Amino acid sequence: MNHTRTAVIVLAAAGLLLAGCSSSDPAPAKTPGAAGSGSPCAGKKWPQAVPAVMGMPLADAVADPLLCFHITEAVAPDGHDALQDPVDETDWVVTGSKPGAGTAVTQDQPVTLTISNPNN
């Protein structure tokens, strides 16, 4: 299975799901939902520790353990943000996060992922 294509689908679906949960202020599609009983993020207590996702495929990391976190970008080795490249066919793997795993963050605190291509 191509994890990048899955990441694009997951991110698009998450954006649609979360769009109904956001406030009237415009917010990026990656901003977690804060309200609404249908939101998977509703009722979560914050701050929460950043999950350990190192070694996980990017698509899997943003679809589940990081779903309610404010992921601002996934930085590839060349410096580009893979979350902003919907046609990228690379099977990215998470190599780290800032703040690091285990760090308590608020729901709106930015989290940046670093990624690599395991095939290179």
Side-chain angles (χ1 to χ4, degrees):
M1 175 184 225
N2 186 318
H3 292 292
T4 301
R5 195 169 299 245
T6 303
V8 171
I9 292 168
V10 167
L11 290 172
L16 289 174
L17 173 66
L18 297 176
C21 300
S22 63
S23 68
S24 61
D25 294 329
K30 295 176 292 255
T31 300
S37 60
S39 171
C41 302
K44 288 200 178 262
K45 304 284 188 219
W46 295 89
Q48 287 196 20
V50 174
V53 294
M54 191 166 153
M56 287 183 75
L58 177 61
D60 294 347
V62 298
D64 187 24
L66 295 172
L67 179 64
C68 297
F69 290 80
H70 182 54
I71 307 304
T72 55
E73 60 185 336
V75 182
D78 67 1
H80 89 278
D81 179 3
L83 296 178
Q84 301 302 319
D85 190 5
V87 296
D88 192 347
E89 299 273 335
T90 306
D91 290 329
W92 297 112
V93 171
V94 178
T95 57
S97 65
K98 186 174 183 179
T103 304
V105 298
T106 60
Q107 188 175 20
D108 61 349
Q109 184 173 345
V111 176
T112 300
L113 302 175
T114 53
I115 56 176
S116 70
N117 179 351
N119 301 319
N120 285 340

